[in-house]
């Protein structure tokens, strides 16, 4: 349920001040250490950022989709690592439980996810199953006592090093494609679950990913989410929401990049005057603003449609495709405005340029979004 207008405005203002006063000043330290100060994470828990989308009945703020994307746009004016710390709890790590979990599963996990005492991960991607998620090979076999045994490897799993709960997609039958996939909740201490080393990434330091391995990993009978064979459908419903969330992340990052470009253009002087007076620099800023405004409008429109109960598969893919491509262009222009300084690591635009490249890849690549949009337009079912 949406917050009343006054309460939401207060939350949004609080997040903006937190970003300006706490997160942005901490960005360089996060980039250097590849870690977020625990004191900052504690403040994020106190603000309720881990539970933005979790219903109030389970300890979250219960924001509508439109409210969630507005808060995310504010939060993501800071380094994406901060959003990543809470992102799986807000989205793909919790929403399978919200959408399809039993009352017992919701009571067991959602309050701890909302408070940030428990971090969740969403384990879908595999070494040989990325864009073609329906081809995943991780298997779950039912034992005589009703429990399940999981075997397989998941790759590039966000927040896996910190996670206490994994939402895992595994094949439970030989039915080809999506029909044989089920969804499981696996706790960190489950026997047979192990983690690989941190992935060494191009950017997004402070946001950790790694492999998650299951070797005869035993989970109880009640670890399955929804009906057997419904896992892929649950995953796709979760990803519709997640794509709107990531599109909002891109808008927030683009907003920050424009702020950085404007500030630098006003300070940097060439030929006896600030480069902000040069029309070609102004054009770079104008193009970035127009594209960011377009993406913001798309995301808010799609979010409101989802809140109204509409199916937004095509809109979510369009938002994710446009916004993730857009922020890449905005980052490139911000580096260009900075000139040689934009290539130096002490400037935030250099870090953002690397950080935002990931947005065109996860939650479905740009090319996958194009296929989804075309499929929906042409009325084809898969």
């Amino acid at each position: 349920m949406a917050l009343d207008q006054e309460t939401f405005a207060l939350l949004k203002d609080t997040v903006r001040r937190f970003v300006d006063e706490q997160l942005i000043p901490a960005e360089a330290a996060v980039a250097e250490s590849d870690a977020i100060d625990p004191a900052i994470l504690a403040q994020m828990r106190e603000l309720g950022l881990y539970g933005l989308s979790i219903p109030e009945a389970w300890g979250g703020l219960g924001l509508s989709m439109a409210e969630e994307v507005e808060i995310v746009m504010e939060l993501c004016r800071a380094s994406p690592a901060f959003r990543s710390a809470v992102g799986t709890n807000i989205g793909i790590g919790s929403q399978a439980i919200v959408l399809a979990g039993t009352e017992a599963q919701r009571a067991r996990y959602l309050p701890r996810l909302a408070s940030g005492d428990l971090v969740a991960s969403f384990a879908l991607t595999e070494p040989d199953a990325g864009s073609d998620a329906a081809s995943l090979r991780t298997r779950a076999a039912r034992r005589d006592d009703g429990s399940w045994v999981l075997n397989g490897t998941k790759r590039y799993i966000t927040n896996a090093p910190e996670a206490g709960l994994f939402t895992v997609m595994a094949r439970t039958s030989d039915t080809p494609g999506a029909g044989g996939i089920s969804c499981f909740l696996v706790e960190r201490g489950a026997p047979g679950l192990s983690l690989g080393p941190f992935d060494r990434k191009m950017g997004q330091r402070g946001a950790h990913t790694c492999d998650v391995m299951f070797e005869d990993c035993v989970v109880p009978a009640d670890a399955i989410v929804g009906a057997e064979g419904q896992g892929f459908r649950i995953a796709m419903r979760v990803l519709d929401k997640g794509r709107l969330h990531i599109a909002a992340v891109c808008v927030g990052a683009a907003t920050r990049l424009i702020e950085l470009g404007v500030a630098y253009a006003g300070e940097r002087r060439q030929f006896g005057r600030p480069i902000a007076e040069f029309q070609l620099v102004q054009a770079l800023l104008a193009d970035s603003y127009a594209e960011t405004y377009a993406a913001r409008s798309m995301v808010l429109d799609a979010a409101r449609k989802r809140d109204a109960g509409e199916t937004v598969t095509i809109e979510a893919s369009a938002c994710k495709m446009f916004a993730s491509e857009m922020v890449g262009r905005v980052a490139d222009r911000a580096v260009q405005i900075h000139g040689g300084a934009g290539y130096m690591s002490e400037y935030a635009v250099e870090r953002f340029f690397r950080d935002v490249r990931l947005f065109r890849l996860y939650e479905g690549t740009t090319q996958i979004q194009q296929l989804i949009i075309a499929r929906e337009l042409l009325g084809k079912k898969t």
Side-chain angles (χ1 to χ4, degrees):
M1 181 177 294
L3 299 179
D4 66 82
Q5 189 172 359
E6 183 178 352
T7 302
F8 178 70
L10 179 61
L11 173 63
K12 187 175 177 180
D13 181 65
T14 300
V15 172
R16 171 169 277 271
R17 285 189 286 107
F18 179 60
V19 167
D20 287 334
E21 297 171 8
Q22 300 293 327
L23 300 189
I24 290 177
E27 286 177 339
V30 171
E32 181 67 26
S33 66
D34 193 25
I36 300 173
D37 186 338
I40 288 179
L41 295 176
Q43 290 179 282
M44 295 173 79
R45 286 194 290 271
E46 291 173 8
L47 286 172
L49 295 180
Y50 282 85
L52 293 181
S53 63
I54 295 174
E56 291 181 87
W58 304 113
L61 295 181
L63 299 189
S64 67
M65 191 75 235
E67 290 172 336
E68 178 185 327
V69 297
E70 285 201 59
I71 296 300
V72 168
M73 289 174 189
E74 293 292 346
L75 181 62
C76 291
R77 290 173 48 249
S79 168
F82 298 112
R83 195 285 320 178
S84 186
V86 303
T88 48
N89 280 35
I90 295 170
I92 57 179
S94 69
Q95 290 306 297
I97 305 172
V98 172
L99 292 171
T102 64
E103 288 304 304
Q105 288 168 339
R106 290 168 180 163
R108 180 178 178 85
Y109 297 117
L110 291 181
R112 295 164 62 204
L113 291 172
S115 68
D117 291 337
L118 180 68
V119 173
S121 273
F122 184 76
L124 174 63
T125 301
E126 297 182 359
D128 294 316
S131 295
D132 182 15
S135 69
L136 65 85
R137 297 180 181 179
T138 296
R139 297 194 68 88
R142 194 197 299 268
R143 303 202 303 182
D144 291 342
D145 64 359
S147 63
W148 298 86
V149 181
L150 277 66
N151 282 281
T153 297
K154 299 295 183 177
R155 180 145 293 171
Y156 310 137
I157 304 305
T158 300
N159 282 342
E162 292 81 22
L165 180 68
F166 299 85
T167 302
V168 182
M169 297 297 155
R171 190 165 294 284
T172 51
S173 79
D174 293 326
T175 302
I181 296 172
S182 300
C183 178
F184 295 89
L185 298 174
V186 183
E187 296 186 10
R188 188 182 187 91
L193 185 153
S194 61
L195 304 177
F198 285 17
D199 295 323
R200 298 178 63 186
K201 307 187 300 296
M202 176 190 294
Q204 302 227 6
R205 288 178 61 80
H208 303 140
T209 66
C210 72
D211 284 4
V212 182
M213 287 81 74
F214 304 93
E215 185 175 357
D216 293 331
C217 178
V218 179
V219 296
D222 60 3
I224 194 167
V225 180
E228 185 175 342
Q230 295 298 306
F232 192 79
R233 292 178 178 84
I234 293 170
M236 292 305 102
R237 289 176 66 194
V238 169
L239 287 172
D240 274 353
K241 183 179 189 300
R243 285 164 180 158
L244 287 178
H245 180 101
I246 293 300
V249 172
C250 295
V251 172
T255 301
R256 173 72 182 288
L257 284 159
I258 293 170
E259 292 171 355
L260 291 168
V262 168
Y264 189 82
E267 297 167 0
R268 176 64 169 164
R269 299 181 68 85
Q270 289 287 280
F271 305 103
R273 52 183 175 150
I275 63 171
E277 295 183 11
F278 301 146
Q279 288 183 333
L280 291 179
V281 172
Q282 293 172 3
L284 294 172
L285 292 168
D287 287 349
S288 291
Y289 180 85
E291 290 193 59
T292 302
Y293 178 66
R296 180 186 297 272
S297 300
M298 289 174 67
V299 173
L300 288 171
D301 177 69
R304 289 167 186 149
K305 286 181 178 179
R306 187 179 186 277
D307 287 336
E310 296 183 35
T311 299
V312 294
T313 297
I314 190 169
E315 289 90 347
S317 285
C319 287
K320 200 275 181 179
M321 178 184 75
F322 181 82
S324 62
E325 294 285 341
M326 173 277 296
V327 74
R329 293 189 292 270
V330 172
D332 187 74
R333 295 185 193 114
V335 170
Q336 198 71 10
I337 289 168
H338 281 67
Y343 204 68
M344 300 297 131
S345 60
E346 61 262 36
Y347 286 86
V349 293
E350 183 272 341
R351 183 182 67 250
F352 269 91
F353 183 82
R354 289 181 288 106
D355 288 346
V356 303
R357 184 61 181 85
L358 181 60
F359 298 141
R360 293 161 60 190
L361 301 176
Y362 66 7
E363 303 272 354
T365 64
T366 293
Q367 288 66 41
I368 290 297
Q369 307 312 320
Q370 290 171 323
L371 293 176
I372 292 170
I373 294 166
R375 181 195 68 198
E376 293 295 314
L377 287 173
L378 297 170
K380 294 180 179 179
K381 305 300 180 183
T382 57

